[in-house]
Amino acid sequence: MALRNIVLAGDDILRKRCREVAEIDDRVRMILDDMIETMRSQNGVGIAAPQVGILRRMFVVENENGEVIEAINPRIIESSGSQTGEEGCLSFPGYVGSVERPEYIKVEAFDRHGKTMVHEGTELMAVALSHEMDHLEGILYTDKATGIHEAEAAPAEDDQAANGAEQ
């Protein structure tokens, strides 16, 4: 496994529609492994292949339990409802915006072994699946977001300890 460079806002690759993965082989599995490592190194919830410079229809998303969904040639087979919340993206570090996404989404995709899988998500998982699906179409969260602004940095532990000591 290896860390990959994350493609940042302004790069044309993020605006291109990805092509299907023709064959799931060791190279595709290696890319998935690299994407997981890269996503985790940046504390991300998901990352799509174009974000690491590969125009193929695949992404990874990690749920709250640390389980990773690997989606190759995914397609949305159902979605419903609506939710709006702050969202960010590894390709736009330090920024967030308010985005409307489905409350529920169901995605069908192949896993790393070529097996068809169905993944369902609500709340944060619905947001993540929808966000990554958009990347495969060349759509960025900033296309849908309102109120884009710099993300507020969490206070450092030392600052919190110092503030607690002052009170």
Side-chain angles (χ1 to χ4, degrees), residues 6-57:
I6 295 175
V7 175
L8 298 177
D11 192 310
D12 290 343
I13 197 168
L14 294 174
R15 290 293 184 183
K16 295 182 179 177
R17 187 175 190 282
C18 295
R19 296 183 305 271
E20 290 206 354
V21 174
E23 180 184 356
I24 301 171
D25 56 14
D26 287 342
R27 181 173 171 359
V28 168
R29 287 185 277 278
M30 179 193 70
I31 293 167
L32 289 170
D33 289 340
D34 291 353
M35 288 170 57
I36 293 166
E37 185 175 348
T38 302
M39 171 190 69
R40 288 178 171 164
S41 77
Q42 299 298 311
N43 297 314
V45 174
I47 192 167
Q51 291 181 274
V52 293
I54 299 167
L55 279 173
R56 291 289 181 260
R57 297 187 71 75

Side-chain angles (χ1 to χ4, degrees), residues 52-73:
V52 293
I54 299 167
L55 279 173
R56 291 289 181 260
R57 297 187 71 75
M58 57 187 194
F59 65 77
V60 297
V61 171
E62 188 166 17
N63 71 17
E64 308 84 35
N65 302 324
E67 298 167 321
V68 176
I69 293 170
E70 299 172 331
I72 300 169
N73 296 337

Side-chain angles (χ1 to χ4, degrees), residues 64 83 102-106 120-129:
E64 308 84 35
Q83 63 177 322
E103 175 61 33
Y104 168 81
I105 192 168
K106 184 188 286 189
E120 296 178 275
T122 60
E123 299 174 356
L124 177 60
M125 188 54 53
V127 169
L129 291 169

